[in-house]
Amino acid sequence: MPNTKDKRFNIAMYMKERKEARFKAVLNHRSLALEHKKSERIQAKIVKAKEKTAALTSDLENNMPFRTATKRRRETMTAKRCKMKDLTNYVLGCKRSKRNVQELPNDMKMLAMLAGELVISSKYFSPFANVCKDDATDLQASFGPEPGHKWQPWEYKQRVNVVGKVESFKKKIEKKPLSCKVKRTKVTEFIASQKSRQEFLPLLDKYIDQAHVEPLHLKNNAWQYFFKGVLKEAIRKSKLPVSCKTFSEVPEESVFGRLISSLKMHVKAGCLCKKVKRWFDDTQGSGPDLQYRFTGKESRRFCHNYMSLVNALSDDNDTKADRQAILVFAYLGQRLRDSVSLINRFDIKEEQLAQLTLAAQEYLRVNAMFLSTSVNPTVWTLGHIVPVHAQQVFSQYNKGLAIVTMEGREAKHIFLKKLSQNTTYQRR
């Protein structure tokens, strides 16, 4: 047979096809191996789950006590109170040894525990004043120890009286056939009916009245609420299509895209930027709110560069309402920045205290009048408690509120965390 060009055996084509076939076979083998390993892991988990179920079943059959969620919560609270005994003994020991305890630098959650109060989310939310959620938006009212103010500090005698009533109420409902959840709801409702948030006696006795507001967590929470408002406004103005499921599909020229770009390039908040992207991938911007705890680092960077985020909200097709929202965020950020600057100073003057009062009150009014977040515990505390406590600290020490800040302790925790990561065996 003649060896012509048309009938010649094409070795190059044969080798290429054989190589592709081998490559496909290898890929199929790898995928099958991965599926096999995955099925083995699932089967192992099923076996372990069956073993645990059998163990729990045998325990229940032998009438062993089962630790419910309520019991675990009680055990946790008991452990926390046992840890607080050391602090209580120290503070009360200072009283016996004639040493003075002037300040209790702690955030509001810790102060609520030391005071034996309910959590911050209760109806009467403030550890410093008898304010409730119903009248917190009253812009004509004020806070102070003088009789003319609507909101006043908690009195120790009132705390003791309420605790006695709460204990008698608990004994009354303990005999009723109600679930633990219903009983707890009735207890909190009874405390609210007494116009109080007190459940137990303060662990530190009368020293709890000497506590002042702590600036660090307050400013972090305030900037956190500010960013949530800006983020919601950016997503609303972007009008992203339903088909946009991940952040990679968000147009760069959209308001949301410009906001995240500014957050990364100008504010230099890389961790927050990554968190926002993951949050959008999970919720497409329409689910639950972003959950991110601000630190002092983010707060400082927002103080310097918050206007870059506000500028990212502007667009050529803005309506009158859109322009008003941008102006609201710009003025809100300015008032918050001024307040944060003044409450984090060791050395302060009387005229600066007046500036702090004005900035804090205007920050409160802007939130109450224009933003959907309205007046939450952080906003109310910054608007009413901070000016009064700053004046008290200045009158007592001739210093600013920075003397009760926890920023040094937070920095210490961050340093210790890095030190532990660098010294563990796994990271050597």
Side-chain angles (χ1 to χ4, degrees):
M1 188 174 180
N3 191 11
T4 61
K5 184 177 180 180
D6 296 335
K7 297 182 179 180
R8 186 183 304 165
F9 182 72
N10 195 339
I11 298 178
M13 184 63 68
Y14 169 75
M15 297 297 293
K16 182 179 179 181
E17 292 178 354
R18 189 178 69 170
K19 185 177 180 180
E20 292 177 354
R22 286 183 176 179
F23 182 71
K24 291 181 180 179
V26 170
L27 290 180
N28 292 333
H29 176 72
R30 289 178 180 176
S31 62
L32 291 175
L34 290 175
E35 291 179 359
H36 180 68
K37 290 182 179 179
K38 185 177 180 180
S39 62
E40 287 182 347
R41 288 196 299 267
I42 293 174
Q43 290 177 0
K45 290 181 180 179
I46 293 174
V47 172
K48 290 182 179 179
K50 288 182 178 180
E51 292 177 354
K52 290 182 179 179
T53 305
L56 291 175
T57 305
S58 62
D59 291 343
L60 291 175
E61 291 176 354
N62 295 330
N63 296 325
M64 293 185 66
F66 184 72
R67 295 176 70 248
T68 60
T70 304
K71 188 174 182 180
R72 289 196 299 270
R73 185 163 55 250
R74 289 178 180 175
E75 292 174 355
T76 303
M77 292 300 298
T78 304
K80 288 182 178 179
R81 290 190 170 275
C82 290
K83 292 179 181 179
M84 289 297 104
K85 284 184 179 180
D86 297 334
L87 179 60
T88 305
N89 294 334
Y90 172 77
V91 175
L92 298 182
C94 292
K95 181 179 179 181
R96 290 189 291 268
S97 61
K98 297 182 180 180
R99 288 180 293 177
N100 292 328
V101 177
Q102 298 293 337
E103 296 294 337
L104 297 171
N106 282 290
D107 61 335
M108 289 193 291
K109 290 183 179 180
M110 189 65 181
L111 287 177
M113 177 180 291
L114 294 175
E117 299 173 343
L118 297 176
V119 294
I120 305 299
S121 59
S122 58
K123 184 176 181 179
Y124 288 81
F125 55 84
S126 177
F128 305 107
N130 56 350
V131 58
C132 69
K133 294 180 179 179
D134 299 334
D135 61 353
T137 55
D138 188 359
L139 299 179
Q140 304 299 326
S142 60
F143 165 77
E146 294 80 10
H149 297 282
K150 179 179 180 179
W151 300 307
Q152 296 184 355
W154 298 108
E155 296 181 357
Y156 187 77
K157 292 182 179 179
Q158 181 187 5
R159 294 176 186 267
V160 176
N161 293 334
V162 173
V163 168
K165 295 179 181 179
V166 171
E167 290 179 353
S168 60
F169 181 77
K170 286 182 178 179
K171 293 179 181 178
K172 185 186 299 184
I173 65 172
E174 189 68 28
K175 302 177 182 179
K176 296 182 179 180
L178 301 174
S179 63
C180 295
K181 185 177 181 180
V182 175
K183 290 181 180 179
R184 183 61 187 169
T185 303
K186 289 185 175 295
V187 170
T188 54
E189 290 176 353
F190 176 79
I191 295 174
S193 66
Q194 299 297 315
K195 296 183 179 181
S196 176
R197 51 182 281 107
Q198 198 73 33
E199 184 177 4
F200 305 100
L201 287 174
L203 295 175
L204 304 181
D205 203 24
K206 294 183 179 181
Y207 287 106
I208 195 64
D209 295 336
Q210 299 181 3
H212 288 104
V213 65
E214 191 272 327
L216 173 63
H217 294 83
L218 198 64
K219 71 173 182 180
N220 292 345
N221 294 337
W223 279 118
Q224 180 176 330
Y225 287 122
F226 173 84
F227 178 70
K228 283 185 178 180
V230 173
L231 181 62
K232 289 181 179 179
E233 180 68 14
I235 294 177
R236 183 191 68 82
K237 292 183 64 176
S238 297
K239 298 179 181 179
L240 300 174
V242 183
S243 59
C244 186
K245 299 295 184 181
T246 60
F247 181 79
S248 59
E249 300 174 359
V250 175
E252 295 182 359
E253 64 276 5
S254 64
V255 178
F256 182 45
R258 294 201 306 268
L259 177 70
I260 302 304
S261 177
S262 178
L263 183 66
K264 181 179 180 180
M265 304 303 296
H266 298 285
V267 184
K268 306 293 184 182
C271 294
L272 177 58
C273 183
K274 294 178 182 177
K275 183 67 175 181
V276 173
K277 292 179 180 179
R278 289 196 297 267
W279 168 77
F280 185 82
D281 292 342
D282 296 336
T283 64
Q284 289 76 48
S286 59
D289 292 341
L290 173 69
Q291 299 297 326
Y292 183 83
R293 184 180 179 183
F294 271 48
T295 62
K297 180 174 64 175
E298 282 89 6
S299 298
R300 184 178 68 253
R301 291 177 177 176
F302 267 69
C303 285
H304 290 289
N305 302 296
Y306 75 93
M307 272 306 298
S308 62
L309 301 178
V310 177
N311 291 332
L313 295 177
S314 61
D315 193 69
D316 296 336
N317 300 323
D318 284 343
T319 62
K320 184 178 180 180
D322 294 336
R323 291 193 295 270
Q324 178 181 342
I326 294 174
L327 293 176
V328 166
F329 281 114
Y331 189 72
L332 182 69
Q334 181 187 6
R335 295 286 82 185
L336 178 56
R337 181 199 60 188
D338 296 342
S339 301
V340 168
S341 173
L342 292 170
I343 66 177
N344 284 276
R345 297 187 182 186
F346 285 98
D347 298 322
I348 196 169
K349 301 178 181 179
E350 291 187 3
E351 54 268 22
Q352 292 175 335
L353 290 176
Q355 296 174 7
L356 172 60
T357 302
L358 179 62
Q361 290 178 353
E362 290 183 352
Y363 169 77
L364 172 68
R365 291 180 181 276
V366 171
N367 275 281
M369 296 173 63
F370 296 102
L371 295 185
S372 59
T373 55
S374 188
V375 180
N376 51 50
T378 298
V379 174
W380 189 91
T381 303
L382 185 56
H384 289 286
I385 302 295
V386 165
V388 177
H389 282 197
Q391 185 64 50
Q392 291 176 356
V393 171
F394 181 78
S395 301
Q396 188 172 359
Y397 309 109
N398 200 23
K399 294 291 182 181
L401 271 178
I403 65 172
V404 295
T405 186
M406 293 178 62
E407 195 146 5
R409 262 190 278 178
E410 295 289 333
K412 179 195 70 175
H413 294 327
I414 295 174
F415 178 78
L416 290 177
K417 182 180 179 181
K418 291 183 179 179
L419 180 64
S420 64
Q421 290 177 353
N422 293 332
T423 55
T424 51
Y425 179 77
Q426 290 84 357
R427 294 180 179 270
R428 288 181 183 174

